[in-house]
């Protein structure tokens, strides 16, 4: 219920709101903006008192208005109007439900019913005019009257309040209705058209563009109030629809940008980021139901971020020559202009009534540009359809696509024409190669001119056949191009050739590739020197000359760089390559034209010296080569000094060939390297014998492993306290079928230098474990151990632990009865690898002994860093225990016992020495005094005699 109370100001029981100044209205005023002249009073309660504007008599009164709507929150608006004309004025007060101007970027005002009712200070409440988009109230102002109006507000804000002349307001509404109808029609047509294009042409960018068009259509329907005419919605529902439309607009723009620019092609993370972005916007549809303002604010922020990211992507991809990005520049520029205008509008910097419909039309224009852009891509290349070409057109297209040049020689007029013009490809003036065929001859390579002319003459003479010829032609820059011409003659009615038509192909790259392959096949890629095969070929040619000429006496040098591997390990392969290049340049300076330098292998060079024949001068040349290599090389602020091992082999035997002569030089080089390097070693025939013997032994040793010609001998290790057998050391023996027994000192080094030592070591461990099992089957469980020597090559093998475990499991041997013996030199090669492998072997129960202690470094650190349980004293330390050496022995034995380690003395010569060692605390002894190495069968008989009571029942 609404109640108006009039009373004098001094009778007020509460302080009224201040009186407002009236807005003067004349007969010519058709539209007045009352927004700035309207006072807003928030949270004033259901009853509101206000002082009216002074009337014609100058008296101010107080009125009280009570709210009549249940949704009223105590918000009021007050304004006053004064009719200064002499006639009655009819006007309408208009408060739009939604106004984009000033709606804010964040938590925007999405519209609502603004005014529940308006109460004038005179007369009755104003009548509401029906309108879906605004609150419209009709008023009548008498001449000279001053009326104060109190509006009961539905919201605490009033974006705009206008006073319109009724006819002018109707005309304005009709004008905007026409404009909105046109924009809606265009937007609807665009959406339908892009959807049809998607159905017809299923490229991915079309559904993205169609989705954006439908989102724009939905936004315009809501913004222009067209949705109210389709469905019945309340003011609160309209806020939800508006928020959802803005979210759809922001989402569809992200989808279109991602799809059109095909961003997942550039980086997979862009796809993930876009998907997360779209999912986040999809959640806003749910948020819009509960709080439309939050959803709309986030959507507006997303739209701005999409436009910003889009321009950055377009700039980056446009600079990368991506055509889609370049074509999107005009559309995105319009989007940025629209976005700037929208920002000015929502922040209130643009506040006219035209800006909101204009922004809606701008969205439609953006979709129109997008539609043109995607259509250009969707139908690109569609002009050429299968079946539209004639055979001649197909041949023309195929020829153009191949890149060949058409060569047409009009023989009758002697005129050559090329299409496209070959002259420009050669750097000449246009049509320079057109004309008589003789114009081509001066530019042909001298070696190709006669052959080219002869080929044409033969073709003209025989009047048949095909022209298939390769030749070189000089370009303007002086370089020669390889061309291949393929043509066939065209005969006239008289049987003579009237034309010759074909194609020319530039095959320069193919020829260069073949030359590079030949160069790589015959020369070293790094230094450019001839390789080993070319070196041998040239050497053989020189030897042929030497057979027929006394002035040719070649000398072959094999040059190997000492410690080159260390340079590679320390400085890297790149440094090693640079050093080889530097050494190649130095050696080339020493040569004469008739000499040859080649790279035979990694750091080995070969040299054929023909320019010097006198032995003294050859020796001086070899010294010069050595000195040239020794000159310091500066690399990475380091001074590197290298030396070389040089082997010489001079031609003295007319029956020798190139391979034999080079082999002799390499044998001399290897002898120089074994002698410490940095020396020149002439070849001597004895080198062949020693080398062949070593090679023969290696070959026979491989066969011995396969034929199981190797065996083990066992030397007793006794306890010095009571003389009982404590164990045996397994020593390898080789009975050669022809040479008899070969000592380990001769074949073990050969095995270590080759890949045989691993097989020999595993054979020794397996055979020793097998023999131990056999002895225990015959005798019973024996309280003994077996020691087997381990080489450095075995210890550096990362699979040694697995191989030993598999071996013991296969033989079924107790690992605690096996002991592996190693020397200090074995561990010094790779201490970390040795410690890791030995620790794993120790964990499975195998004993470890440090052999030959007392020689070499005898580092005490090995006793603590490695898991040894036994020390074997070398015979050089044990021999003659009665002298001063006894003091050292006693100290070593005491130290070992303190470390809880067993001590084995090797090379004990007398019983007195054995007794002395026992008194010092030494546990075991091993030497010929206690027994020589014996076979496995003899060891079994010995054990039966020494341990008769261990026989099982």
């Amino acid at each position: 219920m609404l109640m108006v109370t009039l009373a004098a100001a001094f009778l007020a029981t509460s302080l009224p709101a201040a009186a407002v100044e009236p807005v003067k209205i004349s007969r010519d005023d058709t539209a007045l903006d009352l927004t700035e002249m309207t006072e807003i009073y928030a949270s004033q309660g259901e009853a509101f008192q206000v002082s009216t504007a002074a009337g014609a008599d100058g008296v101010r009164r107080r009125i009280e208005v009570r709210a009549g709507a249940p949704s009223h929150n105590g918000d009021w608006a007050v304004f006053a109007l004064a009719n200064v004309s002499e006639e009655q004025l009819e006007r309408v007060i208009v408060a739009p439900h939604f106004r984009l101007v000033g709606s804010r970027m964040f938590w925007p005002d999405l519209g609502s019913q603004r005014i529940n009712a308006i109460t004038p200070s005179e007369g009755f409440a104003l009548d509401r005019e029906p309108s879906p988009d605004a609150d419209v109230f009709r008023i009548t102002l008498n001449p000279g009257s001053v009326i104060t109006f109190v509006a009961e507000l539905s919201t605490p804000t009033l974006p705009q309040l206008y006073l319109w002349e009724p006819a002018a307001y109707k005309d304005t509404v009709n004008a905007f209705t026409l404009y909105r109808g046109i924009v809606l029609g265009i937007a609807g047509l665009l959406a339908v058209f892009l959807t049809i294009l998607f159905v017809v042409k299923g490229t991915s960018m079309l559904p993205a563009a169609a989705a954006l068009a439908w989102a724009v259509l939905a936004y315009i329907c809501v913004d222009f109030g067209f949705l109210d005419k389709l469905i019945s919605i309340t003011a609160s529902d309209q806020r939800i629809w508006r928020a959802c439309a803005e979210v759809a607009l922001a989402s569809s723009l992200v989808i279109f940008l991602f799809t059109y620019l095909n961003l997942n092609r550039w980086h997979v993370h862009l796809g993930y980021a876009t998907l997360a972005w779209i999912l986040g916007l999809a959640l806003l549809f749910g948020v819009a139901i509960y709080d439309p303002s939050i959803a709309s604010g986030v959507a507006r922020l997303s739209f701005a971020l999409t436009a910003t990211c889009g321009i950055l992507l377009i700039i980056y991809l446009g600079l990368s020559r991506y055509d889609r990005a370049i074509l999107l520049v005009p559309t995105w520029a319009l989007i940025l202009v629209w976005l700037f205008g929208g920002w000015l509008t929502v922040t209130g910097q643009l506040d006219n009534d035209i800006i909101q419909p204009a922004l809606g039309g701008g969205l439609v224009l953006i979709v129109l540009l997008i539609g043109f852009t995607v259509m250009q891509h969707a139908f690109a290349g569609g002009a050429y359809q299968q079946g539209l070409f004639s055979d001649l057109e197909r041949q023309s297209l195929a020829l153009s696509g191949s890149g060949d040049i058409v060569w047409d020689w009009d023989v009758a007029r002697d005129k050559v024409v090329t299409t496209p013009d070959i002259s420009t490809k050669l750097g000449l003036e246009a049509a320079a190669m057109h004309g008589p065929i003789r114009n081509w001859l001066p530019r042909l390579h001298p070696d190709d001119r006669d052959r080219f002319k002869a080929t044409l003459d033969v073709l003209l003479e025989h009047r048949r056949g095909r022209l298939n010829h390769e030749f070189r032609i000089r370009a303007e820059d002086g370089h020669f191009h390889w061309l291949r011409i393929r043509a066939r003659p065209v005969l006239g009615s008289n049987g003579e050739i009237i034309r010759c038509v074909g194609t020319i192909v530039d095959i320069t790259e193919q020829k260069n590739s073949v030359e590079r392959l030949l160069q790589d096949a015959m020369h070293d890629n790094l230094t450019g020197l001839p390789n080993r095969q070319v070196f041998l070929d040239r050497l053989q040619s020189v030897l042929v000359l030497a057979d027929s000429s006394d002035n040719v006496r070649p000398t072959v040098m094999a040059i190997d760089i000492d410690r080159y591997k260390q340079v590679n390990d320390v400085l890297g392969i790149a440094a090693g390559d640079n050093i080889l290049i530097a050494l190649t340049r130095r050696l080339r300076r020493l040569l004469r034209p008739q000499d040859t330098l080649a790279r035979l292998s990694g750091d080995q060079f070969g040299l054929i010296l023909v320019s010097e024949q006198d032995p003294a001068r050859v020796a001086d040349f070899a010294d010069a080569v050595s000195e040239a290599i020794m000159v310091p090389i500066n690399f990475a602020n380091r001074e590197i000094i290298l030396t070389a091992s040089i082997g010489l082999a001079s031609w003295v035997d007319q029956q020798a060939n190139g391979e034999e002569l080079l082999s002799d030089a390499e044998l001399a080089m290897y002898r120089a390297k074994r002698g410490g390097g940095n020396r020149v070693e002439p070849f001597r025939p004895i080198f062949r014998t020693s080398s062949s013997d070593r090679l023969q032994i290696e070959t026979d040793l491989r066969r011995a492993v396969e034929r199981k010609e190797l065996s083990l001998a066992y030397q007793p290790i006794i306890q010095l306290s009571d003389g009982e057998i404590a164990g045996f050391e397994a020593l390898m023996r080789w009975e050669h079928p022809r040479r008899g027994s070969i000592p380990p000192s001769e074949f073990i080094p050969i095995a270590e230098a080759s890949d045989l030592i691993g097989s020999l070591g595993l054979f020794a461990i397996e055979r020793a474990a097998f023999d131990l099992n056999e002895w225990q089957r015959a005798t019973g469980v024996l309280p003994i151990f077996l020691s087997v020597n381990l080489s450095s090559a075995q210890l550096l093998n990362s699979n040694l632990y697995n191989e030993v475990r598999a071996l013991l499991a296969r033989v079924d041997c107790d690992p605690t009865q096996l002991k592996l013996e190693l020397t200090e030199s074995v561990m010094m090669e790779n201490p970390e690898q040795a410690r890791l492998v030995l620790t794993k072997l120790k964990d499975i129960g195998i004993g470890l002994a440090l052999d030959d202690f007392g020689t070499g470094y005898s580092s005490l650190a090995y006793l603590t860093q490695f898991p040894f349980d036994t020390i074997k004293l070398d015979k050089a330390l044990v021999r003659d225990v009665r002298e001063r050496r006894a003091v050292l022995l006693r100290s070593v034995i005491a130290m070992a016992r303190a470390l809880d380690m067993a001590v084995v003395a090797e090379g004990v010569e007398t019983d007195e020495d054995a007794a002395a060692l026992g008194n010092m605390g030494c546990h075991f002894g091993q030497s010929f005094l206690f027994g020589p190495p014996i076979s496995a069968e003899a060891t079994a008989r010995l054990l039966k005699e020494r341990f008769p009571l261990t026989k099982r029942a």
Side-chain angles (χ1 to χ4, degrees), residues 518-519 521-524 528-547 552-556 588 591-600 606-610 651 656-659 661-662:
L518 293 175
Q519 175 74 12
M522 301 177 64
H523 292 79
D524 174 55
L529 295 175
N531 57 21
R532 188 183 189 94
Q533 191 62 37
V534 177
F535 180 83
L536 289 173
D537 183 70
R538 293 186 183 180
L539 179 58
Q540 190 64 41
S541 300
V542 172
L543 294 181
V544 172
L545 293 176
D547 287 337
V552 179
R553 290 294 181 268
T555 298
V556 177
R588 275 178 167 169
L591 302 182
R592 294 185 180 178
Q594 59 267 45
D595 301 329
T596 299
L597 178 67
R599 186 185 180 191
L600 304 181
L607 194 151
I608 305 174
L609 184 64
V610 181
W651 183 79
N657 57 33
E659 291 186 0
L661 195 58
L662 177 59

Side-chain angles (χ1 to χ4, degrees), residues 396-406 419-420 425 503-506:
S396 177
L397 284 173
L399 189 61
S400 301
S402 65
D404 294 352
I405 298 173
V406 177
T419 306
K425 294 182 178 294
T503 60
I504 290 180
V505 182
D506 191 332

Side-chain angles (χ1 to χ4, degrees), residues 602-613:
D603 60 342
Q604 183 179 341
F605 295 89
L607 194 151
I608 305 174
L609 184 64
V610 181
S611 59
E612 300 292 349
Q613 300 180 15

Side-chain angles (χ1 to χ4, degrees), residues 6-260:
L6 299 178
F10 58 87
L11 296 177
T13 59
S14 61
L15 185 63
V20 294
E21 292 297 324
V23 178
K24 297 178 180 180
I25 304 173
S26 65
R27 177 172 168 273
D28 298 329
D29 293 330
T30 58
L32 292 176
D33 189 355
L34 305 178
T35 309
E36 297 296 330
M37 283 73 74
T38 302
E39 301 288 342
I40 304 297
Y41 298 93
S43 302
Q44 297 297 313
E46 295 184 0
F48 176 66
Q49 294 183 1
V50 63
S51 295
T52 64
D57 54 2
V59 177
R60 296 179 182 272
R61 293 183 293 275
R62 185 184 66 182
I63 62 176
E64 179 180 282
V65 181
R66 292 187 176 275
S71 59
H72 181 66
N73 296 319
D75 302 317
W76 304 87
V78 180
F79 60 94
L81 302 178
N83 185 358
V84 296
S85 66
E86 296 180 353
E87 59 185 55
Q88 191 179 54
L89 298 178
E90 296 286 338
R91 294 290 186 267
V92 289
I93 299 174
V94 180
H97 290 169
F98 173 75
R99 195 164 185 261
L100 187 63
V101 175
S103 61
R104 298 186 302 274
M105 182 72 178
F106 302 102
W107 286 276
D109 182 358
L110 297 179
S112 177
Q113 180 179 341
R114 301 297 178 179
I115 301 175
N116 293 328
I118 298 179
T119 303
S121 58
E122 297 178 3
F124 298 96
L126 303 183
D127 295 330
R128 179 187 294 271
E129 297 283 336
S131 175
D133 302 325
D135 296 321
V136 181
F137 297 88
R138 181 177 291 273
I139 62 173
T140 301
L141 299 176
N142 295 321
S145 63
V146 178
I147 302 176
T148 301
F149 297 89
V150 180
E152 177 188 340
L153 301 181
S154 301
T155 61
T157 58
L158 187 63
Q160 188 183 51
L161 189 66
Y162 253 91
L163 185 69
W164 284 92
E165 194 274 328
Y169 176 67
K170 184 177 181 180
D171 293 340
T172 302
V173 171
N174 292 336
F176 276 115
T177 301
L178 178 61
Y179 168 78
R180 290 170 178 173
I182 294 173
V183 172
L184 274 172
I186 297 174
L189 287 175
L190 281 174
V192 173
F193 179 70
L194 290 175
T195 304
I196 295 173
L197 281 182
F198 163 57
V199 175
V200 175
K201 191 81 171 179
T203 57
S204 59
M205 66 181 74
L206 286 174
L212 180 61
W214 284 108
V216 169
L217 179 62
Y219 176 82
I220 293 176
C221 285
V222 175
D223 191 57
F224 287 180
F226 184 72
L227 188 64
D228 297 341
K229 297 177 174 59
L230 297 178
I231 58 176
S232 177
I233 57 175
T234 63
S236 59
D237 292 339
Q238 191 174 31
R239 298 177 70 248
I240 297 175
W241 280 100
R242 190 177 301 280
C244 290
E246 293 187 6
V247 171
L249 191 62
S251 305
S252 58
L253 184 64
V254 175
I255 296 173
F256 170 75
L257 181 66
F258 175 82
T259 307
Y260 181 79

Side-chain angles (χ1 to χ4, degrees), residues 270-283:
L270 289 176
Y272 296 148
T274 305
L275 179 61
W277 196 335
I278 295 173
L279 291 177
L281 291 174
L283 294 176

